Amino acid sequence: METLRSYLRLDTSNPPGNELRGALFLKGLLEREGIAVELFEPEPGRANLYARLRGRSGAPGLVLHHHIDVVPASPKGWARPPFAASTYNDLLLYGRGVLDTKGLGIAQLEAFLALKRSGRRLERDVVYLATADEERGGRLGVAAVVEKRPAWLAGVGEAFGEGGDVETIVEKARWFGIEVQQKGALWLRLEAGGAGGHSASADTADPAARVVRAAARLAEMKRPVRVEPVLERQLTALARVRPPGQAAVLRRVAADAKRDPAGLLAKLVPWQQLLVTDTVSVTRFGTDSEVVNAHPKQAWAEVDVRLLPTTSPEEFLREAVRAIDDPGVTVTTLFSAKGEPASPDTGLYAVAKRVLEARFPGVVVAPVLGPGLSENRVFRSRGIRAYGLLPFRLNHYDVAGIHSVNERMRIDWFEEGVETVKRIVLEAATAPTPQKPMR
């Protein structure tokens, strides 16, 4: 617990990142246990950390991954300062990154150190990987490791990282979703230009209005409703912990998507709607005009598109340009990531499921499709089976703090989650496996 509090007090907000301060903290803890550590800075101060415990066989290695950077947090609106790692009544720990993902990182560290201290012979290599820049797309994180430090992932076949979901009702964990697949992403920038000048005079180019209209047309695009195989399994499993009326809707999702897609959307709650269709969110606008009474010479908007795994980013982009229907608006791709094929519910997934079901009797564990973006997609693109898991009991109010104010976790649930991660990693590292490395 105190290790986590020390880690949370290191401000690694991205931007600017400063992940080196977090990497050096972790490096000290690992080296104190006699474990060799490597650091890699793609840019000054933007550090990634790697350590490896060697196994005795050639079975695919396991990587324990979290990201050091966190989203920025202004103290405004927080019950406790975001980088003070304060506690409340010895019950709750507040801090930016406690859930996303420094809490996971410390739980993985404890499991990694426990393997080292145990002296047990490992059946496969176990890698501890802490990376930079995940919150801004990961260019300096796992993507940079893949390109510049491929040896760090040599022989690795599975990854345990962020993602998934959990549902706790009145102290009882009734659902753990293990993320095996994610939606893709396409970040776009719309731009238009004009002559500028006094706003009382005409500007036929009217760049600001053009960009606004273009963004509105994207936001209004009608997208098909599709139920991916992973989502169908997810919702069918979720029906087991829902009231009868909701359960019936969830069990019929795939059929209703084909029969009555509009009616289906009306029956689903917002987070479920996100998973049956591509979504478009207009997130930023701007111009170069410094005053209200001057036409801008340049105007822009930025749009965050999230795509079902079977949607091609290239095809969506072509449809977006057609929907905008304005040659005066240029569309630039800022970031593109296609949804990768789902990781199977074998190997590490099966181990995690067994451990969770043993620790939380009656809980439902199922594979899930993640609506967000993480570096699991990079692992999957390399043939590494990636699994996202929140190993802690959390309730609705805790989860609401991710990327928002009052990010927090119950102290006893964190300590319980550390033990859960230890058990998953111990079994995954020491049980014989017939799998071959996937390259």
Side-chain angles (χ1 to χ4, degrees):
M1 188 65 201
E2 289 308 312
T3 302
L4 175 58
R5 294 183 72 187
S6 297
Y7 196 21
L8 294 173
R9 292 186 183 111
L10 303 174
D11 186 350
T12 53
S13 299
N14 185 13
N18 293 325
E19 293 92 347
L20 179 60
R21 60 184 56 161
L24 290 173
F25 171 74
L26 298 171
K27 181 174 183 285
L29 296 172
L30 289 159
E31 290 183 336
R32 198 175 304 157
E33 302 280 341
I35 298 172
V37 177
E38 294 180 38
L39 297 184
F40 164 46
E41 295 177 68
E43 293 180 1
R46 312 302 304 276
N48 301 286
L49 174 144
Y50 159 85
R52 184 181 291 244
L53 299 176
R54 296 287 179 180
R56 65 177 182 171
S57 74
L62 168 65
V63 61
L64 310 177
H65 171 256
H66 82 284
H67 57 87
I68 302 170
D69 62 318
V70 299
V71 295
S74 165
K76 185 177 181 181
W78 282 70
R80 298 286 187 277
F83 295 102
S86 301
T87 61
Y88 173 73
N89 280 353
D90 293 325
L91 176 67
L92 294 171
L93 172 64
Y94 285 78
R96 174 58 86 222
V98 68
L99 294 176
D100 186 17
T101 59
K102 289 182 175 178
L104 175 64
I106 294 304
Q108 291 174 335
L109 177 72
E110 291 296 323
F112 191 75
L113 296 179
L115 284 182
K116 173 68 163 53
R117 294 166 184 156
S118 73
R120 296 275 297 270
R121 290 201 301 179
L122 308 183
E123 288 295 325
R124 56 170 161 172
D125 290 4
V126 179
V127 171
Y128 185 76
L129 184 67
T131 59
D133 199 37
E134 191 276 342
E135 297 293 1
R136 302 280 285 187
R139 180 179 64 87
L140 304 175
V142 176
V145 168
V146 166
E147 181 182 359
K148 301 294 185 180
R149 294 293 186 275
W152 286 14
L153 297 177
V156 167
E158 292 184 316
F160 172 5
E162 72 171 313
D165 52 34
V166 58
E167 191 173 276
T168 306
I169 305 297
V170 193
E171 304 277 322
K172 181 176 176 60
R174 66 177 188 177
W175 166 266
F176 279 96
I178 300 176
E179 184 252 285
V180 300
Q181 190 176 32
Q182 297 177 331
K183 293 182 78 173
L186 184 64
W187 297 349
L188 303 175
R189 183 177 175 92
L190 316 180
E191 295 179 283
H198 200 292
S199 58
S201 61
D203 181 358
T204 55
D206 204 2
R210 296 182 89 151
V211 164
V212 168
R213 285 194 294 269
R217 287 169 183 163
L218 286 188
E220 293 166 358
M221 287 177 68
K222 300 300 182 185
R223 303 299 300 160
V225 174
R226 294 197 304 275
V227 178
E228 306 282 340
V230 167
L231 180 62
E232 184 175 6
R233 293 182 60 197
Q234 172 182 346
L235 297 182
T236 300
L238 190 62
R240 295 165 55 190
V241 297
R242 289 289 183 267
Q246 295 179 24
V249 171
L250 297 179
R251 293 191 185 101
R252 293 196 307 266
V253 162
D256 286 349
K258 298 175 182 177
R259 182 182 61 84
D260 181 17
L264 173 63
L265 287 175
K267 296 175 186 176
L268 298 178
V269 298
W271 73 262
Q272 294 164 350
Q273 294 172 0
L274 297 177
L275 294 174
V276 298
T277 189
D278 305 320
T279 61
V280 178
S281 298
V282 182
T283 55
R284 301 211 306 158
F285 285 101
T287 76
D288 63 353
S289 176
E290 297 181 355
V291 293
V292 70
N293 59 344
H295 285 296
K297 291 184 177 181
Q298 294 290 327
W300 57 271
E302 291 181 349
V303 181
D304 182 353
V305 182
R306 299 301 169 110
L307 304 171
L308 294 176
T310 49
T311 299
S312 159
E314 295 77 16
E315 179 57 31
F316 183 92
L317 181 58
R318 288 191 288 269
E319 293 181 23
V321 172
R322 286 196 293 269
I324 290 170
D325 192 26
D326 185 346
V329 176
T330 62
V331 182
T332 304
T333 298
L334 302 177
F335 176 81
S336 178
K338 187 182 186 306
E340 299 291 338
S343 299
D345 54 358
T346 56
L348 180 64
Y349 174 95
V351 171
K353 186 174 188 293
R354 281 197 300 272
V355 170
L356 291 168
E357 289 175 342
R359 287 181 62 70
F360 304 100
V363 74
V364 175
V365 182
V368 301
L369 171 66
L373 196 69
S374 80
E375 290 173 304
N376 288 340
R377 74 186 191 280
V378 184
F379 292 123
R380 293 188 183 114
S381 73
R382 299 286 295 174
I384 296 171
R385 298 171 174 182
Y387 302 94
L389 173 63
L390 269 169
F392 315 105
R393 271 192 286 172
L394 301 171
N395 59 39
H396 167 78
Y397 304 101
D398 301 330
V399 175
I402 298 175
H403 285 211
S404 186
V405 299
N406 294 324
E407 187 175 350
R408 71 189 193 189
M409 189 182 342
R410 267 182 47 171
I411 293 170
D412 56 338
W413 288 356
F414 169 71
E415 293 169 342
E416 175 187 76
V418 171
E419 180 62 25
T420 298
V421 174
K422 283 183 178 180
R423 295 189 188 186
I424 292 171
V425 172
L426 177 63
E427 181 175 341
T430 58
T433 171
Q435 297 175 10
K436 297 179 180 179
M438 301 173 63
R439 297 325 268 168

